[in-house]
Amino acid sequence: PHSPFPNPTERLFGKFQLISACFVAFAHGSNDVGNAIAPLAAIVYINSTGAVPINGITIPIWILILGGVGIVAGLAIWGKKVIATIGESIISLQPSSGFCAELATATTILLASRLGLPVSTSHALVGGVVGIGLVQNLKSIQFKTLQGIAAAWLITVPLSAALSAAIFTVLSAFW
């Protein structure tokens, strides 16, 4: 009776959305942790064996733990803002539409993980939310928010490349 969603279907989907959110969290860990720790795992392997890995490698548990801690720390610091932007600032989501976006996102991420494709959970979730907006009402999509997200995505690659080059240059001077 005290639910913000008077529709019983939306209340039911609110419960299902807890499950789909857990599914997204699992998918996020299955893919994004692997994306984050792969360079470190390769460096540790090369450093310990003196050879470049040709086939699969065994990743030490401490690297997996470090990756998990990193994802959790990132979610703890920026997660609320990212979730609010995706869940409220692109379109207004109801539990049923949120469930669909999360289910589509988790399925996409797990399929990509299975195929060995390094994809982004946030990219997939934005795509899922935009897909809901396209079906519900194109005019409900906040394109200004999407422009900001797209700009951040476009800036990420060259900025990361420049920072990487700068860090490498500075470290090379010391070694």
Side-chain angles (χ1 to χ4, degrees), residues 75-133:
L75 287 171
I77 294 168
W78 289 107
K80 186 174 181 179
K81 181 165 177 40
V82 171
I83 290 167
T85 298
I86 294 173
E88 298 170 1
S89 299
I90 297 173
I91 64 167
S92 179
L93 291 173
Q94 298 296 313
S96 58
S97 54
F99 170 80
C100 293
E102 288 174 345
L103 184 62
T105 296
T107 302
T108 300
I109 297 301
L110 287 177
L111 287 173
S113 294
R114 184 71 178 117
L115 295 171
L117 301 172
V119 295
S120 167
T121 302
S122 58
H123 285 71
L125 190 53
V126 167
V129 170
V130 170
I132 297 295

Side-chain angles (χ1 to χ4, degrees), residues 143-165:
F143 286 101
K144 186 170 184 167
T145 301
L146 287 179
Q147 286 174 333
I149 292 170
W153 289 345
L154 291 173
I155 290 168
T156 300
V157 173
L159 182 61
S160 294
L163 283 173
S164 177

Side-chain angles (χ1 to χ4, degrees), residues 2 7-8 31 41 51 58 78 92 101 140 160 162:
H2 302 296
N7 182 334
N31 193 285
T58 301
W78 289 107
S92 179
S140 68
S160 294

Side-chain angles (χ1 to χ4, degrees), residues 5 7 15 20 32 36 38 43 49 56 61 71 75 79 89 118 123 132 140 162 172:
F5 303 106
N7 182 334
K15 294 174 184 173
S20 64
D32 287 8
I43 290 167
T49 65
I61 192 74
I71 290 288
L75 287 171
S89 299
H123 285 71
I132 297 295
S140 68
S172 294

